[in-house]
Amino acid sequence: MRAVWSFWSKPFHRHHKRVWRSELHHLLAWVLSVERARRHYPRTVLVTDTEGARLLVDKLGLRFTTVMTSLAALDDRDPE
């Protein structure tokens, strides 16, 4: 079994960022979600773009067994 998360940074920065009280609250939600799921799922997967990987893996230090930057192929797409 595996748990899968996705994060496309382009629409997040354009619109969805406003739904969080602060950037800290957004990041804390990621930490809580991933760390709780790791207790129950041996494999954790993140599907994101390059910026998302930098934020969630490099900066925040979240540990996924697999990180795919497949969403980087959408860089030239309108997030709407």
Side-chain angles (χ1 to χ4, degrees), residues 4-29:
V4 179
W5 290 262
S6 65
F7 179 70
W8 186 21
S9 63
K10 192 172 182 178
F12 173 76
H13 290 300
R14 186 178 259 185
H15 298 291
H16 303 302
K17 190 175 191 175
R18 294 180 288 217
V19 302
W20 292 97
R21 180 174 180 163
S22 70
E23 180 70 12
L24 176 62
H25 287 91
H26 172 241
L27 297 177
L28 289 173

mmCIF file of all heavy atoms in Angstrom, residues 4-29:
data_model
loop_
_atom_site.group_PDB
_atom_site.id
_atom_site.type_symbol
_atom_site.label_atom_id
_atom_site.label_comp_id
_atom_site.label_asym_id
_atom_site.label_seq_id
_atom_site.Cartn_x
_atom_site.Cartn_y
_atom_site.Cartn_z
ATOM 1 N N VAL A 4 -0.352 8.766 -1.605
ATOM 2 C CA VAL A 4 0.120 9.651 -2.673
ATOM 3 C C VAL A 4 -0.391 11.070 -2.427
ATOM 4 O O VAL A 4 -1.578 11.263 -2.147
ATOM 5 C CB VAL A 4 -0.366 9.154 -4.053
ATOM 6 C CG1 VAL A 4 0.103 10.082 -5.156
ATOM 7 C CG2 VAL A 4 0.100 7.727 -4.307
ATOM 8 N N TRP A 5 0.493 12.048 -2.561
ATOM 9 C CA TRP A 5 0.152 13.460 -2.481
ATOM 10 C C TRP A 5 0.532 14.111 -3.798
ATOM 11 O O TRP A 5 1.483 13.693 -4.454
ATOM 12 C CB TRP A 5 0.944 14.177 -1.388
ATOM 13 C CG TRP A 5 0.577 13.811 -0.003
ATOM 14 C CD1 TRP A 5 -0.258 14.490 0.834
ATOM 15 C CD2 TRP A 5 1.046 12.682 0.728
ATOM 16 N NE1 TRP A 5 -0.342 13.840 2.039
ATOM 17 C CE2 TRP A 5 0.459 12.727 2.008
ATOM 18 C CE3 TRP A 5 1.912 11.627 0.448
ATOM 19 C CZ2 TRP A 5 0.693 11.774 2.985
ATOM 20 C CZ3 TRP A 5 2.147 10.675 1.406
ATOM 21 C CH2 TRP A 5 1.535 10.762 2.663
ATOM 22 N N SER A 6 -0.189 15.152 -4.158
ATOM 23 C CA SER A 6 0.201 15.947 -5.321
ATOM 24 C C SER A 6 0.202 17.417 -4.937
ATOM 25 O O SER A 6 -0.595 17.861 -4.095
ATOM 26 C CB SER A 6 -0.741 15.694 -6.505
ATOM 27 O OG SER A 6 -2.039 16.150 -6.209
ATOM 28 N N PHE A 7 1.118 18.152 -5.542
ATOM 29 C CA PHE A 7 1.216 19.586 -5.294
ATOM 30 C C PHE A 7 1.759 20.262 -6.545
ATOM 31 O O PHE A 7 2.901 20.042 -6.927
ATOM 32 C CB PHE A 7 2.138 19.873 -4.107
ATOM 33 C CG PHE A 7 2.292 21.343 -3.821
ATOM 34 C CD1 PHE A 7 1.237 22.077 -3.309
ATOM 35 C CD2 PHE A 7 3.495 21.985 -4.049
ATOM 36 C CE1 PHE A 7 1.380 23.433 -3.035
ATOM 37 C CE2 PHE A 7 3.651 23.337 -3.781
ATOM 38 C CZ PHE A 7 2.591 24.063 -3.272
ATOM 39 N N TRP A 8 0.902 21.052 -7.188
ATOM 40 C CA TRP A 8 1.314 21.844 -8.346
ATOM 41 C C TRP A 8 1.448 23.278 -7.853
ATOM 42 O O TRP A 8 0.458 23.907 -7.480
ATOM 43 C CB TRP A 8 0.289 21.709 -9.468
ATOM 44 C CG TRP A 8 0.669 22.369 -10.758
ATOM 45 C CD1 TRP A 8 1.925 22.706 -11.177
ATOM 46 C CD2 TRP A 8 -0.208 22.782 -11.799
ATOM 47 N NE1 TRP A 8 1.887 23.289 -12.412
ATOM 48 C CE2 TRP A 8 0.583 23.353 -12.820
ATOM 49 C CE3 TRP A 8 -1.584 22.724 -11.970
ATOM 50 C CZ2 TRP A 8 0.047 23.865 -13.990
ATOM 51 C CZ3 TRP A 8 -2.118 23.231 -13.136
ATOM 52 C CH2 TRP A 8 -1.308 23.785 -14.132
ATOM 53 N N SER A 9 2.641 23.795 -7.814
ATOM 54 C CA SER A 9 2.903 25.087 -7.185
ATOM 55 C C SER A 9 2.280 26.268 -7.938
ATOM 56 O O SER A 9 1.918 27.265 -7.324
ATOM 57 C CB SER A 9 4.406 25.304 -7.012
ATOM 58 O OG SER A 9 5.060 25.355 -8.259
ATOM 59 N N LYS A 10 2.150 26.177 -9.244
ATOM 60 C CA LYS A 10 1.658 27.316 -10.027
ATOM 61 C C LYS A 10 0.244 27.749 -9.612
ATOM 62 O O LYS A 10 0.033 28.918 -9.299
ATOM 63 C CB LYS A 10 1.730 26.993 -11.509
ATOM 64 C CG LYS A 10 1.520 28.182 -12.408
ATOM 65 C CD LYS A 10 1.805 27.803 -13.854
ATOM 66 C CE LYS A 10 1.657 28.976 -14.783
ATOM 67 N NZ LYS A 10 1.973 28.607 -16.171
ATOM 68 N N PRO A 11 -0.751 26.873 -9.603
ATOM 69 C CA PRO A 11 -2.068 27.328 -9.150
ATOM 70 C C PRO A 11 -2.087 27.666 -7.664
ATOM 71 O O PRO A 11 -2.841 28.537 -7.228
ATOM 72 C CB PRO A 11 -3.001 26.167 -9.471
ATOM 73 C CG PRO A 11 -2.132 24.993 -9.651
ATOM 74 C CD PRO A 11 -0.792 25.501 -10.079
ATOM 75 N N PHE A 12 -1.254 26.993 -6.881
ATOM 76 C CA PHE A 12 -1.208 27.311 -5.456
ATOM 77 C C PHE A 12 -0.796 28.764 -5.250
ATOM 78 O O PHE A 12 -1.436 29.506 -4.511
ATOM 79 C CB PHE A 12 -0.249 26.381 -4.718
ATOM 80 C CG PHE A 12 -0.052 26.784 -3.287
ATOM 81 C CD1 PHE A 12 -1.039 26.525 -2.348
ATOM 82 C CD2 PHE A 12 1.083 27.449 -2.891
ATOM 83 C CE1 PHE A 12 -0.887 26.925 -1.025
ATOM 84 C CE2 PHE A 12 1.246 27.856 -1.570
ATOM 85 C CZ PHE A 12 0.262 27.588 -0.645
ATOM 86 N N HIS A 13 0.278 29.174 -5.909
ATOM 87 C CA HIS A 13 0.758 30.546 -5.739
ATOM 88 C C HIS A 13 -0.200 31.563 -6.355
ATOM 89 O O HIS A 13 -0.289 32.690 -5.885
ATOM 90 C CB HIS A 13 2.158 30.712 -6.323
ATOM 91 C CG HIS A 13 3.195 30.006 -5.527
ATOM 92 N ND1 HIS A 13 3.437 30.293 -4.200
ATOM 93 C CD2 HIS A 13 4.038 29.009 -5.850
ATOM 94 C CE1 HIS A 13 4.390 29.508 -3.744
ATOM 95 N NE2 HIS A 13 4.777 28.721 -4.726
ATOM 96 N N ARG A 14 -0.914 31.156 -7.369
ATOM 97 C CA ARG A 14 -1.823 32.084 -8.039
ATOM 98 C C ARG A 14 -3.116 32.311 -7.244
ATOM 99 O O ARG A 14 -3.598 33.424 -7.150
ATOM 100 C CB ARG A 14 -2.158 31.572 -9.423
ATOM 101 C CG ARG A 14 -2.982 32.580 -10.223
ATOM 102 C CD ARG A 14 -3.254 32.078 -11.595
ATOM 103 N NE ARG A 14 -2.336 32.724 -12.519
ATOM 104 C CZ ARG A 14 -2.394 32.559 -13.816
ATOM 105 N NH1 ARG A 14 -3.296 31.745 -14.339
ATOM 106 N NH2 ARG A 14 -1.555 33.166 -14.602
ATOM 107 N N HIS A 15 -3.685 31.250 -6.668
ATOM 108 C CA HIS A 15 -4.995 31.379 -6.025
ATOM 109 C C HIS A 15 -5.087 30.749 -4.639
ATOM 110 O O HIS A 15 -5.558 31.368 -3.710
ATOM 111 C CB HIS A 15 -6.088 30.728 -6.886
ATOM 112 C CG HIS A 15 -6.239 31.352 -8.209
ATOM 113 N ND1 HIS A 15 -6.743 32.614 -8.383
ATOM 114 C CD2 HIS A 15 -5.948 30.883 -9.449
ATOM 115 C CE1 HIS A 15 -6.760 32.912 -9.667
ATOM 116 N NE2 HIS A 15 -6.285 31.885 -10.337
ATOM 117 N N HIS A 16 -4.687 29.522 -4.536
ATOM 118 C CA HIS A 16 -4.975 28.740 -3.335
ATOM 119 C C HIS A 16 -4.195 29.186 -2.107
ATOM 120 O O HIS A 16 -4.583 28.874 -0.989
ATOM 121 C CB HIS A 16 -4.753 27.252 -3.595
ATOM 122 C CG HIS A 16 -5.560 26.738 -4.736
ATOM 123 N ND1 HIS A 16 -6.939 26.825 -4.770
ATOM 124 C CD2 HIS A 16 -5.195 26.166 -5.904
ATOM 125 C CE1 HIS A 16 -7.384 26.315 -5.894
ATOM 126 N NE2 HIS A 16 -6.345 25.913 -6.602
ATOM 127 N N LYS A 17 -3.122 29.895 -2.305
ATOM 128 C CA LYS A 17 -2.326 30.366 -1.174
ATOM 129 C C LYS A 17 -3.177 31.212 -0.223
ATOM 130 O O LYS A 17 -2.948 31.240 0.972
ATOM 131 C CB LYS A 17 -1.141 31.171 -1.707
ATOM 132 C CG LYS A 17 -0.116 31.529 -0.700
ATOM 133 C CD LYS A 17 1.049 32.217 -1.392
ATOM 134 C CE LYS A 17 2.215 32.355 -0.451
ATOM 135 N NZ LYS A 17 3.382 32.906 -1.119
ATOM 136 N N ARG A 18 -4.183 31.873 -0.770
ATOM 137 C CA ARG A 18 -5.020 32.765 0.042
ATOM 138 C C ARG A 18 -5.936 32.010 1.003
ATOM 139 O O ARG A 18 -6.476 32.610 1.921
ATOM 140 C CB ARG A 18 -5.858 33.650 -0.866
ATOM 141 C CG ARG A 18 -5.020 34.619 -1.665
ATOM 142 C CD ARG A 18 -5.900 35.453 -2.532
ATOM 143 N NE ARG A 18 -6.405 34.608 -3.613
ATOM 144 C CZ ARG A 18 -6.595 34.999 -4.846
ATOM 145 N NH1 ARG A 18 -6.370 36.234 -5.171
ATOM 146 N NH2 ARG A 18 -7.039 34.177 -5.761
ATOM 147 N N VAL A 19 -6.145 30.727 0.815
ATOM 148 C CA VAL A 19 -7.056 30.005 1.699
ATOM 149 C C VAL A 19 -6.402 29.656 3.034
ATOM 150 O O VAL A 19 -7.097 29.327 3.985
ATOM 151 C CB VAL A 19 -7.634 28.723 1.041
ATOM 152 C CG1 VAL A 19 -8.372 29.056 -0.232
ATOM 153 C CG2 VAL A 19 -6.570 27.688 0.813
ATOM 154 N N TRP A 20 -5.086 29.721 3.089
ATOM 155 C CA TRP A 20 -4.380 29.426 4.339
ATOM 156 C C TRP A 20 -4.194 30.707 5.132
ATOM 157 O O TRP A 20 -3.952 31.768 4.573
ATOM 158 C CB TRP A 20 -3.015 28.796 4.042
ATOM 159 C CG TRP A 20 -3.165 27.435 3.452
ATOM 160 C CD1 TRP A 20 -3.132 27.118 2.126
ATOM 161 C CD2 TRP A 20 -3.401 26.222 4.152
ATOM 162 N NE1 TRP A 20 -3.338 25.770 1.969
ATOM 163 C CE2 TRP A 20 -3.501 25.204 3.196
ATOM 164 C CE3 TRP A 20 -3.548 25.900 5.506
ATOM 165 C CZ2 TRP A 20 -3.734 23.876 3.541
ATOM 166 C CZ3 TRP A 20 -3.776 24.581 5.848
ATOM 167 C CH2 TRP A 20 -3.867 23.595 4.874
ATOM 168 N N ARG A 21 -4.284 30.594 6.430
ATOM 169 C CA ARG A 21 -4.089 31.765 7.299
ATOM 170 C C ARG A 21 -2.693 32.353 7.102
ATOM 171 O O ARG A 21 -2.501 33.556 7.118
ATOM 172 C CB ARG A 21 -4.309 31.366 8.748
ATOM 173 C CG ARG A 21 -4.136 32.505 9.688
ATOM 174 C CD ARG A 21 -4.494 32.131 11.088
ATOM 175 N NE ARG A 21 -4.291 33.286 11.937
ATOM 176 C CZ ARG A 21 -4.787 33.399 13.118
ATOM 177 N NH1 ARG A 21 -5.513 32.439 13.615
ATOM 178 N NH2 ARG A 21 -4.556 34.467 13.833
ATOM 179 N N SER A 22 -1.708 31.457 6.938
ATOM 180 C CA SER A 22 -0.334 31.897 6.705
ATOM 181 C C SER A 22 0.421 30.760 6.014
ATOM 182 O O SER A 22 -0.049 29.619 5.964
ATOM 183 C CB SER A 22 0.364 32.242 8.030
ATOM 184 O OG SER A 22 0.598 31.061 8.783
ATOM 185 N N GLU A 23 1.588 31.081 5.518
ATOM 186 C CA GLU A 23 2.446 30.064 4.907
ATOM 187 C C GLU A 23 2.817 29.006 5.948
ATOM 188 O O GLU A 23 2.890 27.819 5.641
ATOM 189 C CB GLU A 23 3.710 30.710 4.335
ATOM 190 C CG GLU A 23 4.672 29.746 3.688
ATOM 191 C CD GLU A 23 4.174 29.152 2.376
ATOM 192 O OE1 GLU A 23 3.183 29.639 1.819
ATOM 193 O OE2 GLU A 23 4.789 28.174 1.909
ATOM 194 N N LEU A 24 3.022 29.417 7.181
ATOM 195 C CA LEU A 24 3.336 28.470 8.251
ATOM 196 C C LEU A 24 2.223 27.441 8.417
ATOM 197 O O LEU A 24 2.494 26.239 8.540
ATOM 198 C CB LEU A 24 3.569 29.209 9.576
ATOM 199 C CG LEU A 24 3.803 28.313 10.787
ATOM 200 C CD1 LEU A 24 5.065 27.470 10.614
ATOM 201 C CD2 LEU A 24 3.875 29.147 12.054
ATOM 202 N N HIS A 25 0.977 27.873 8.396
ATOM 203 C CA HIS A 25 -0.143 26.943 8.534
ATOM 204 C C HIS A 25 -0.175 25.943 7.371
ATOM 205 O O HIS A 25 -0.451 24.758 7.576
ATOM 206 C CB HIS A 25 -1.469 27.707 8.611
ATOM 207 C CG HIS A 25 -1.654 28.395 9.913
ATOM 208 N ND1 HIS A 25 -1.244 29.679 10.136
ATOM 209 C CD2 HIS A 25 -2.204 27.960 11.066
ATOM 210 C CE1 HIS A 25 -1.530 30.022 11.379
ATOM 211 N NE2 HIS A 25 -2.113 29.002 11.968
ATOM 212 N N HIS A 26 0.101 26.420 6.191
ATOM 213 C CA HIS A 26 0.150 25.536 5.022
ATOM 214 C C HIS A 26 1.222 24.462 5.208
ATOM 215 O O HIS A 26 0.982 23.272 5.011
ATOM 216 C CB HIS A 26 0.417 26.368 3.760
ATOM 217 C CG HIS A 26 0.669 25.550 2.556
ATOM 218 N ND1 HIS A 26 1.854 25.612 1.860
ATOM 219 C CD2 HIS A 26 -0.098 24.626 1.922
ATOM 220 C CE1 HIS A 26 1.790 24.768 0.842
ATOM 221 N NE2 HIS A 26 0.641 24.159 0.853
ATOM 222 N N LEU A 27 2.405 24.877 5.610
ATOM 223 C CA LEU A 27 3.514 23.927 5.771
ATOM 224 C C LEU A 27 3.256 22.961 6.926
ATOM 225 O O LEU A 27 3.573 21.772 6.827
ATOM 226 C CB LEU A 27 4.824 24.686 5.965
ATOM 227 C CG LEU A 27 5.241 25.557 4.782
ATOM 228 C CD1 LEU A 27 6.514 26.326 5.103
ATOM 229 C CD2 LEU A 27 5.394 24.741 3.511
ATOM 230 N N LEU A 28 2.693 23.439 8.015
ATOM 231 C CA LEU A 28 2.378 22.557 9.136
ATOM 232 C C LEU A 28 1.362 21.486 8.733
ATOM 233 O O LEU A 28 1.445 20.342 9.189
ATOM 234 C CB LEU A 28 1.861 23.366 10.331
ATOM 235 C CG LEU A 28 2.897 24.211 11.056
ATOM 236 C CD1 LEU A 28 2.226 25.085 12.109
ATOM 237 C CD2 LEU A 28 3.992 23.354 11.674
ATOM 238 N N ALA A 29 0.412 21.853 7.878
ATOM 239 C CA ALA A 29 -0.564 20.868 7.393
ATOM 240 C C ALA A 29 0.127 19.771 6.595
ATOM 241 O O ALA A 29 -0.234 18.594 6.710
ATOM 242 C CB ALA A 29 -1.623 21.561 6.545
#
